[in-house]
């Protein structure tokens, strides 16, 4: 069982090595990188390439680790007991299975995505250590132990919003998805938009990387934003010459696809003003 990428996902060799190493070691793969570099999509493509089902657990700031195992609805059980509902007699009626429970009890091996783990409380990763290590957990309400029928392929993503505990990191295989170089990004564009005019792509990516290198930029545009921008350029039939002429004396064309806050828009407005004043 090896991942080599898919027709819909351009995976660099070091990324495929990381995925296969995590599968071999039977450890979670912790993937970090800038937003929009394909971390979440990686799990989907691994599942597709290996013909496995995908379970997705999208972590929020309010998410607790226990929710990944199960949740016991004591309030509903109390209400049903007061109403004389027969469901009250079986506590299992009030236990809602989480994504880890689903992954552990699936008939076939699955890919489990724990997405943006760094959004949650700092204790969240530590609270999952034993379950991800031993691939089992205890259900206190029923007295049963849930064990994985087969170990899922666990892919965990992080945007580096907060540091993760060392004890958690020790149990993971780590990979950082670096921002793709121009040649790789051209391949990604070709995958998403086959047959696109290459001269437009080259002009667009030249300007795109120039934008990313501007000093003082609060949020650098990502891979996904580059794809959106190029799609709009094609839709509006923008010529490569228009892009080259626009690069130094005005905001980038359709800049709303690339610049996502007013600070960066104002930065480019100032740069454009200075370029025009200096005869650029």
């Amino acid at each position: 069982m090896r991942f080599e990428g898919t027709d819909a996902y351009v995976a660099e060799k070091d990324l495929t090595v990381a995925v296969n190493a995590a599968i071999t070691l039977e450890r979670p793969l912790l993937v970090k990188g800038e937003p929009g570099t394909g971390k979440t999509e990686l799990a989907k493509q691994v599942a597709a390439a290996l013909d496995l089902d995908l379970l997705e657990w999208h972590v929020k700031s309010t998410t607790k680790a226990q929710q990944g195992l199960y949740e016991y609805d004591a309030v509903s059980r109390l209400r049903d007991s007061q109403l004389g509902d027969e469901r009250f007699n079986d506590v299992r009626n009030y236990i809602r299975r989480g994504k880890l429970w689903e992954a552990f009890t699936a008939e076939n091996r699955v890919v489990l995505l724990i997405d943006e783990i760094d959004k949650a409380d700092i204790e969240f990763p530590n609270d999952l250590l034993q379950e991800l290590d031993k691939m089992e957990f205890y259900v206190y309400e029923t007295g049963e132990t849930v064990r994985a029928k087969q170990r899922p392929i666990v892919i965990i993503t992080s945007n580096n919003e907060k540091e993760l505990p060392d004890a958690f990191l020790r149990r993971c295989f780590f990979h950082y998805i670096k921002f793709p170089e121009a040649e790789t990004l051209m391949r990604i564009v070709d995958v998403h938009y086959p047959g696109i005019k290459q001269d437009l792509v080259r002009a667009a990516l030249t300007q795109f990387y120039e934008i990313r290198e501007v000093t003082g930029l609060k949020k650098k545009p990502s891979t996904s934003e580059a794809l959106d921008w190029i799609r709009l350029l094609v839709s509006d039939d923008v010529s490569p010459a228009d892009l080259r002429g626009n690069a130094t004396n005005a905001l980038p064309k359709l800049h709303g696809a690339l610049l996502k806050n007013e600070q960066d828009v104002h930065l480019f407005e100032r740069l454009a003003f200075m370029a025009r004043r200096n005869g650029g």
Side-chain angles (χ1 to χ4, degrees), residues 14-25:
D14 58 347
L15 177 56
T16 61
V17 167
V19 172
N20 292 317
I23 294 173
T24 299
L25 294 172

Side-chain angles (χ1 to χ4, degrees), residues 36-235:
T37 49
K39 300 186 296 298
T40 301
E41 186 63 23
L42 172 65
K44 299 176 182 178
Q45 296 301 324
V46 169
L50 302 181
D51 196 23
L52 302 176
D53 289 335
L54 173 68
L55 295 177
E56 301 179 55
W57 185 14
H58 298 286
V59 177
K60 302 177 181 178
S61 59
T62 56
T63 303
K64 302 299 180 185
Q66 180 65 31
Q67 293 172 300
L69 308 179
Y70 68 93
E71 293 182 274
Y72 170 55
D73 191 349
V75 174
S76 292
R77 192 180 189 206
L78 175 61
R79 182 195 61 213
D80 287 349
S81 70
Q82 294 170 338
L83 296 174
D85 193 319
E86 291 185 0
R87 284 168 46 86
F88 164 78
N89 296 316
D90 189 351
V91 68
R92 290 176 176 82
N93 291 325
Y94 305 94
I95 291 178
R96 183 168 59 199
R97 297 184 177 190
K99 294 299 182 181
L100 266 74
W101 190 325
E102 291 180 28
F104 287 2
T105 57
E107 290 301 319
N108 300 305
R109 195 177 196 184
V110 302
V111 175
L112 172 63
L113 168 65
I114 304 178
D115 198 29
E116 298 189 326
I117 194 171
D118 52 325
K119 279 189 174 179
D121 183 88
I122 189 62
E123 291 304 318
F124 181 94
N126 280 335
D127 291 342
L128 290 177
L129 284 179
Q130 183 153 325
E131 289 76 12
L132 290 175
D133 203 20
K134 293 189 175 182
M135 286 287 146
E136 66 178 41
F137 61 90
Y138 185 72
V139 183
Y140 292 94
E141 289 76 11
T142 63
E144 65 181 310
T145 298
V146 177
R147 294 186 178 89
K149 293 182 178 180
Q150 49 274 313
R151 183 177 287 265
I153 298 172
V154 181
I155 297 178
I156 303 171
T157 72
S158 169
N159 286 328
N160 257 347
E161 291 185 10
K162 60 172 68 81
E163 290 295 322
L164 299 174
D166 288 345
F168 179 79
L169 296 175
R170 283 198 299 272
R171 288 166 169 80
C172 298
F173 191 92
F174 172 77
H175 182 74
Y176 183 86
I177 299 182
K178 62 181 182 295
F179 196 84
E181 297 178 353
E183 181 180 343
T184 301
L185 192 46
M186 283 193 72
R187 290 166 52 204
I188 294 172
V189 172
D190 287 340
V191 165
H192 285 80
Y193 309 124
I196 190 173
K197 297 176 182 178
Q198 292 301 301
D199 54 348
L200 174 60
V201 174
R202 282 191 291 270
L205 292 185
T206 296
Q207 187 174 13
F208 174 77
Y209 280 97
E210 289 173 353
I211 291 170
R212 279 184 55 87
E213 294 303 317
V214 169
T215 302
L217 201 61
K218 183 176 181 180
K219 181 193 176 301
K220 294 182 178 182
S222 67
T223 303
S224 60
E225 288 159 346
L227 292 172
D228 288 345
W229 185 52
I230 291 173
R231 179 182 177 185
L232 290 174
L233 296 177
V234 172
S235 177

